Amino acid sequence: MAPPATKRWCLALILLSLSFFIQSSTAIYCGAEDCYALLGVAQDANASDIKRSYYKLSLKHHPDKNPDPESKKLFVKIATAYEILKDNETRSQYDYAIEHPEEVFYNTAQYYRAKYGHKSDPRAVLVGLLVVLSAFQYLNNVARYNEAIATVKRTPAYKNKLKALELERTGGVTNKKKGPKQIDQKLQEELSNELDLQIKGAEKPSVWDLLGVRFILLPYTIIKLLAWYSSWVWRYKVNKAPYSWEDASYLTRRSLGVPLDAWTNLDEYKKEDLVQKRLWEKQNLENYFAEMRKESKRRR
């Protein structure tokens, strides 16, 4: 157990620290001075009185009018006090700090928020954030795409396609003494560029997919979506027209929950068969799933 003398010293140290912080709660505004006293006005003075007093004192202590070094220091303090009191928000926070000096951290946070927060234009912050996020997004997409391409180029299937393309370009004439690794590097790059490498999950980066570009095009996207929906309602709900192939394919794909790239890779016969089943109708979809379950059990 600590001796009484040690306890007293600890208590004195705590009180000293608290007194320092309590003083700094208002000192962050006008230092050790009182902002109202610097301008020679009462705490309940209105904005006109504060402005009038500031102009009077600033003319008296301005360095161009008064060369005294002490007067110059006082002019800086007066200008600081006026900056605090001329703004309703910072004045209100200063008054609160005077009345509640014990709320050190709250008063300090409010001061710095008012001092630096309002100087940042929210629009500029939003634009900057979109630019940074878009840059990271693009660099990440490029890295993923290059990594995926490098992985594909190491597969036997890619090397076979590359060899077939080389034979096609050379008219079927190739040097049998040269293996796949001995293909001219420049020719290999040219052939690689001709191959259409579509890799799921690592598509070729495009600026149109960036977050910033999509945000800029958001009004256009919304208008386009509303126009499409209005056309859909007018054509199929009001006029009861039969679905076009593209719209029927869309409804089928949505009903089955098939991604666009997976639907694109289906053969045309399979697409046509699924569209003809009219799976966007609930009963047809339930029957289709029932048939699929029966087929799955039969194969087991």
Side-chain angles (χ1 to χ4, degrees):
M1 188 172 182
T6 304
K7 286 185 177 181
R8 286 196 296 270
W9 275 106
C10 291
L11 181 60
L13 183 61
I14 292 173
L15 292 175
L16 180 63
S17 301
L18 286 175
S19 65
F20 170 76
F21 282 115
I22 290 173
Q23 288 177 3
S24 66
S25 180
T26 54
I28 55 177
Y29 288 91
C30 293
E33 306 284 346
D34 181 275
C35 294
Y36 291 103
L38 284 170
L39 293 178
V41 296
Q43 188 171 349
D44 59 351
N46 57 40
S48 298
D49 292 337
I50 292 174
K51 187 175 183 180
R52 189 182 306 109
S53 179
Y54 165 70
Y55 282 128
K56 181 179 179 181
L57 292 171
S58 63
L59 288 173
K60 179 180 178 182
H61 297 284
H62 196 280
D64 294 339
K65 302 287 185 180
N66 193 335
D68 184 11
E70 293 299 323
S71 184
K72 182 179 179 180
K73 294 179 182 179
L74 183 57
F75 173 79
V76 174
K77 293 181 179 180
I78 291 170
T80 302
Y82 180 66
E83 288 295 321
I84 297 296
L85 300 181
K86 75 174 184 178
D87 184 79
N88 291 332
E89 183 179 1
T90 53
R91 181 181 179 182
S92 175
Q93 291 167 0
Y94 178 64
D95 291 342
Y96 186 88
I98 293 175
E99 296 173 5
H100 303 85
E102 73 282 355
E103 299 184 19
V104 180
F105 297 106
Y106 175 78
N107 292 329
T108 304
Q110 289 293 90
Y111 169 77
Y112 285 110
R113 184 185 69 83
K115 185 175 181 180
Y116 299 107
H118 68 281
K119 293 183 179 180
S120 301
D121 189 343
R123 293 169 296 182
V125 173
L126 178 60
V127 170
L129 181 62
L130 289 175
V131 169
V132 171
L133 291 178
S134 298
F136 276 112
Q137 181 186 6
Y138 185 78
L139 293 175
N140 179 63
N141 291 344
V142 169
R144 288 180 54 199
Y145 179 74
N146 291 337
E147 183 179 356
I149 291 295
T151 303
V152 169
K153 286 184 176 180
R154 291 194 292 266
T155 60
Y158 171 80
K159 294 178 180 179
N160 292 335
K161 287 184 179 181
L162 196 64
K163 191 67 176 177
L165 186 58
E166 182 195 14
L167 292 173
E168 182 181 342
R169 288 188 57 178
T170 58
V173 179
T174 183
N175 191 345
K176 296 182 179 180
K177 295 181 180 180
K178 290 186 177 182
K181 296 182 179 180
Q182 297 175 305
I183 298 177
D184 183 74
Q185 186 68 26
K186 184 177 180 181
L187 176 61
Q188 186 174 1
E189 290 179 2
E190 293 177 359
L191 296 174
S192 297
N193 293 333
E194 292 185 26
L195 289 177
D196 185 20
L197 296 178
Q198 296 295 334
I199 305 171
K200 184 178 180 181
E203 292 75 16
K204 192 171 183 178
S206 172
V207 294
W208 301 107
D209 296 329
L210 297 180
L211 181 64
V213 176
R214 289 190 174 185
F215 182 81
I216 293 172
L217 297 177
L218 183 60
Y220 168 77
T221 304
I222 294 175
I223 293 173
K224 186 177 179 181
L225 181 62
L226 291 175
W228 173 83
Y229 182 75
S230 301
S231 175
W232 182 284
V233 171
W234 176 258
R235 185 184 305 172
Y236 300 125
K237 301 296 183 181
V238 178
N239 292 334
K240 305 296 183 181
Y243 291 115
S244 65
W245 169 258
E246 291 78 9
D247 293 337
S249 299
Y250 164 74
L251 289 173
T252 304
R253 181 171 61 83
R254 190 182 67 173
S255 300
L256 294 173
V258 178
L260 179 59
D261 54 350
W263 178 263
T264 304
N265 292 330
L266 290 177
D267 60 81
E268 295 301 322
Y269 175 78
K270 182 65 175 178
K271 291 180 186 178
E272 185 176 355
D273 179 61
L274 291 173
V275 169
Q276 289 179 353
K277 293 181 183 294
R278 300 179 64 86
L279 298 178
W280 55 87
E281 296 178 4
K282 185 177 180 180
Q283 188 60 48
N284 294 341
L285 184 64
E286 292 177 353
N287 293 338
Y288 173 76
F289 283 141
E291 291 177 6
M292 294 295 292
R293 286 192 290 269
K294 289 180 181 178
E295 183 66 19
S296 177
K297 290 181 181 180
R298 187 184 64 82
R299 289 181 180 180
R300 292 177 186 175

